[in-house]
Structure formats: C-alpha cells, structure tokens
Amino acid sequence: MGVLNVTPDSFSDGGRFVETDVAIQHALDLVEQGADLIDVGGESTRPGAVRVGADEEQARAIPVIRGLAERGIEVSIDTMNAETALAAAEAGASMINDVSGGLADPGMVGVVIRTGLTYIVQHWRGQSETMDAQATYTHAAREVRRELFGRVAELAELGVEPGRLIIDPGLGFAKNAEHNWQVLAHLPEFRELGLPVLIGASRKRFLGALLPEGAPVTDRDAPTAVISALAAQVGVWGVRVHDVSSTRLALDVVEAWQAGRDD
Ligand code: PMM
C-alpha cells in the first residue's frame, strides 16, 4: 500500500502532493514502483495534528481518488469521517482506512455497511492531540490485540461482516517506541482471528530513534523496508509505506527466500 498524503501538514512528505495533478502523478509513480493499492489521505493524523473539516478533507482527497479510480488503480481512503468515506466510495475508492476503527465518527459504521467496501480497522485510543497521553499499558501487545479484537466483535454486532475487515495494530497511535516494538514482536498473534493484518511503520518516529539525531526522514525508508520483510515473513497481509521501491525490493527478497524452501 503506497501512501499518498494530500495534506499540507504531513510530517513525512512535507505537503508536496497537495495539487491534484501532482498527487495523481505521484500515485502513478508508486504503482510503477510496485504498489498494489494507494491510500489517499486528506487529513494528517500525526501526533499533535489539528483536525480539518470534512469539506477541506474532501476538497483535497476526492478529485485525486476519482482520477486514480478512472485509471483503474485500487484506492483506499484514509479518513475518520463518515461523510468523506461516502464521498470517496462514490468517487471509486474500494476500501475505507479508518485509523479510529469507527470510534471517531458514529456515522462511519453505517457508511461501511451501506457501501459494502472493505474496512481497515485500526487500534485507536483517541485523537492525535491526546493519544501520546494514552500510551499506557502493562503489556502493550496483549492489550492492543485484546482491544482491537474487541472492536472487531463490536463491529460484527453492529452488522459489519467480519469477512470485509482488515485489522491494523496502529503503530504510533497511543504507543511509544517500546510499545511499537512489542506489538511488532507479537505480530503473529494478531492473525489469530484469521483476518488480514496491515501495518504502518513507514517513516514513523520510533524508526528515527535508530538513526543519528537530525537524520532526514527519508533515512527511515531502510528500516521501514526491513520491517516490511519481517512482517511478510510472519504472514502480514499488507504494509503501508511512503517509499514503495525499497519495500517492494524487500518483499521480493522474502519471496525469493521462501521459494528456496524445499519443505
Ligand atoms: N498511519 C498513519 C496514517 N494512516 N493508516 C493505517 N491503517 N495504519 C497506520 O499505521 C497509519 C494509517 C500516520 O502516518 P502518515 O502521517 O505518514 O500517513
């Protein structure tokens, strides 16, 4: 999954893709580099980010989604807003990627049911402004998994077919570096429900901590690609990344490695 943030305040690509044509071209480049799916987001969710209105979010994201869908590219909409998800579905998106798992907007579940789209449910404890304060766990991996599986059960009760769900532990969302590493080390346990698992480690702060202070954010692409390979080894369905080339290559290595097995 290639990330296309059409936000002026995104931490990792600095808002370079705000204009529709430039955004579409960047998405086409990501597909050329090996992305199977483009995740379009019109609102930043980085820690401390201020929420934008649904109108502004749609003005940024919808023309891009329409342009990509017209070109036959599979698109997910990264949004917590039900209205934006609905507009994206009408513009041709095939998945709704909701970092709040439907907790931020009470209208989201209805849109998921009505549109019949695949729904990416992420573990979430609250909005960006407050999520760092909610990063308290006794065993992060176990608690995140329990809360995420609990959310899947709630969604099923509300009428969302579990077969349409993809789950994501939400690295960096109410999680510090130690929590993220613990979740990654326990990734196989997130597969216990039999649902596809997605992870988004790309360029996140906890990877910056492995690099010299002040290193550019693009230096986080190498550790991101390593995580992509390790995640693929344990059967993760997808990885959400900014730099598709390096992750594609890492995944090709995993595939070649696995093909070499003779058992
Ligand atoms: N991370 C961000 C945004 N959307 N969606 C999913 N499913 N998983 C993630 O980990 C995730 C996400 C924040 O990163 P960005 O600001 O670089 O897009």
Side-chain angles (χ1 to χ4, degrees), residues 90-163:
E90 284 161 0
S94 59
M95 291 188 193
I96 299 167
N97 174 25
D98 179 357
V99 297
S100 82
L103 293 171
D105 184 339
M108 184 63 93
V109 175
V111 169
V112 171
I113 293 170
R114 192 168 136 199
T115 58
L117 298 191
T118 299
Y119 187 44
I120 301 170
V121 182
Q122 196 201 255
H123 175 260
W124 191 79
R125 282 188 166 183
Q127 299 289 353
S128 304
E129 300 92 325
T130 59
M131 68 185 179
D132 284 349
Q134 286 160 323
T136 52
Y137 303 89
T138 44
H139 189 288
R142 234 176 267 148
E143 284 161 59
V144 169
R145 186 174 48 124
R146 192 173 57 229
E147 290 170 22
L148 187 56
F149 285 11
R151 188 63 193 143
V152 168
E154 282 168 9
L155 289 168
E157 267 173 41
L158 293 168
V160 182
E161 292 159 52

Side-chain angles (χ1 to χ4, degrees), residues 5 11-12 45 78 97 99 122 168 173 198 200 204 240 242:
N5 284 324
F11 78 93
S12 52
T45 50
D78 187 349
N97 174 25
V99 297
Q122 196 201 255
D168 182 334
F173 287 80
L198 172 74
K204 284 187 178 165
R240 180 184 180 278
H242 300 86

